[in-house]
Amino acid sequence: MLNELNQRFPIPGLTFGQNRNGLIFATIHTPAGTGELFLQGAHVTSWCPVGHEPVLWLSQMSNFEKGKPIRGGVPICFPWFGPNAQDATLPAHGFARTQEWQFVDAQQKEGDTIELQLETTFDPFLLSFRVEFGAELKMILKTQLPQNAKSTQTFEDALHTYFSVRDVRTISILGLEPTSFIDKVDRAQLKSASNSPISINSETDRVYLDTLTDCILNDAQKKRAIRVSKLGSASTVVWNPWIEKSKRMADFGDDEWPGMVCIETANIGDSRIQLAPGESHSTTAVISVEALSSNRNL
Ligand code: TA6
């Protein structure tokens, strides 16, 4: 499989490898930066544009085994978000992040960008995932319902992006000030807009509703701002597990919580997507990084 992939996609800067548990991954190394993606779950596990520190966070305790979710990077949540509403025994965030995908294409694009395209099926849906590793990280999750499908179908999706921060207690997240949210740490209560940037000083698990806006993760200690732009997504989730929840996750180090925050590009709950036979939907996230000078106003 490895040789076939390396022969099929002879692109400078793109190599395929296999970890000790047999998981296939693609490594990208170009003048624009580096990246990595695991075939299982079409899971982006790292992205580092040249001149910056790694942008995505990955737990030191993550599993990298067949059928187990990777903790960090960009898990793809599909066809539901969180626990399954009908059957609690089903995997949280659905099956897409743990099932086998297929590499279908790899392209060199302008600006030293490499684009990978992967596909999988989750009956009755066809899923394709395009990711561009370059000066920006662009991810497009396209869900199609074939013309011969028997009926209209609905699904939730999320690009559950984990960002690396110096200290989550000192960051701020701009862009969601005017947006109401479901507070999953407080009995899933609907709460009105805070009208101020988000700061994190306890367990935070919020689903922001009906928002199409960019978010900016302002990390003064890393002297950078990360912009999360999106298309085809009406929900944004902000999550940090803080102390106690981190201890309850075996694949999350007890002392890792200060180094990460999730800003997730999603369609959840009332914003779930409905497709008629023959229709498709794309959820897109574009991540970019800019250096923060000390006196820069965002
Ligand atoms: O996106 C936030 C969230 O839904 C949290 O409630 C937490 O469960 C997180 O996802 C991680 O979920 P996972 O199934 O990957 O442990």
Side-chain angles (χ1 to χ4, degrees):
M1 169 88 147
L2 267 190
N3 293 338
E4 187 254 332
L5 285 168
N6 281 308
Q7 285 159 16
R8 208 171 129 208
F9 304 117
I11 290 178
L14 171 63
T15 52
F16 293 91
Q18 195 163 21
N19 79 352
R20 65 179 183 281
N21 297 321
L23 293 189
I24 303 273
F25 58 92
T27 302
I28 288 93
H29 198 139
T30 74
T34 60
E36 183 185 73
L37 171 144
F38 274 75
L39 185 57
Q40 174 177 280
H43 196 128
V44 175
T45 46
S46 89
W47 173 61
C48 187
V50 74
H52 291 281
E53 293 178 36
V55 175
L56 305 181
W57 177 87
L58 202 59
S59 171
Q60 297 296 315
M61 305 290 284
S62 177
N63 296 297
F64 282 92
E65 293 174 48
K66 194 167 175 55
K68 291 188 177 179
I70 294 169
R71 174 67 66 191
V74 187
I76 294 176
C77 305
F78 180 93
W80 62 81
F81 184 85
N84 181 282
Q86 284 75 37
D87 179 351
T89 65
L90 293 174
H93 294 322
F95 293 98
R97 66 176 174 169
T98 51
Q99 74 179 40
E100 277 300 304
W101 290 61
Q102 292 74 43
F103 278 110
V104 294
D105 196 13
Q107 301 270 345
Q108 265 178 303
K109 304 194 80 169
E110 62 185 26
D112 293 316
T113 296
I114 289 181
E115 178 192 81
L116 301 181
Q117 185 164 342
L118 300 95
E119 286 178 355
T120 193
T121 58
F122 184 78
D123 190 43
F125 299 105
L126 304 177
L127 293 180
S128 79
F129 186 55
R130 270 192 307 121
V131 52
E132 293 182 13
F133 291 94
E136 296 182 339
L137 176 66
K138 183 172 184 180
M139 298 175 284
I140 305 173
L141 176 65
K142 181 176 180 181
T143 304
Q144 297 170 272
L145 185 62
Q147 189 63 53
N148 62 0
K150 295 183 180 59
S151 62
T152 293
Q153 300 286 331
T154 63
F155 64 90
E156 295 176 313
D157 67 358
L159 299 172
H160 190 300
T161 311
Y162 286 74
F163 292 100
S164 173
V165 298
R166 181 60 44 78
D167 184 338
V168 75
R169 292 162 289 197
T170 65
I171 58 118
S172 62
I173 297 172
L174 312 178
L176 295 167
E177 294 83 342
T179 309
S180 56
F181 61 94
I182 292 171
D183 187 346
K184 290 171 59 178
V185 174
D186 184 9
R187 294 164 294 127
Q189 293 293 301
L190 178 61
K191 298 196 172 169
S192 51
S194 65
N195 296 314
S196 58
I198 298 167
S199 58
I200 308 281
N201 44 44
S202 61
E203 181 181 352
T204 302
D205 194 349
R206 301 178 179 179
V207 179
Y208 286 83
L209 305 165
D210 302 325
T211 171
L212 307 178
T213 62
D214 290 7
C215 284
I216 292 180
L217 169 53
N218 191 358
D219 188 343
Q221 285 192 295
K222 276 189 181 267
K223 292 187 171 51
R224 74 180 181 189
I226 296 171
R227 180 178 291 272
V228 184
S229 303
K230 63 177 193 173
L231 282 174
S233 157
S235 321
T236 296
V237 180
V238 174
W239 178 58
N240 179 278
W242 208 251
I243 301 166
E244 293 313 317
K245 182 150 187 174
S246 298
K247 288 177 182 170
R248 296 197 297 271
M249 295 184 284
D251 61 349
F252 196 114
D254 293 356
D255 57 357
E256 290 187 311
W257 57 270
M260 57 70 68
V261 68
C262 287
I263 301 176
E264 305 160 33
T265 303
N267 292 288
I268 298 172
D270 293 349
S271 300
R272 67 180 51 241
I273 303 295
Q274 178 169 296
L275 295 180
E279 290 185 333
S280 65
H281 174 86
S282 291
T283 299
T284 301
V286 181
I287 317 292
S288 56
V289 190
E290 48 190 76
L292 263 188
S293 58
S294 52
N295 58 357
R296 188 188 182 289
N297 297 317
L298 272 173

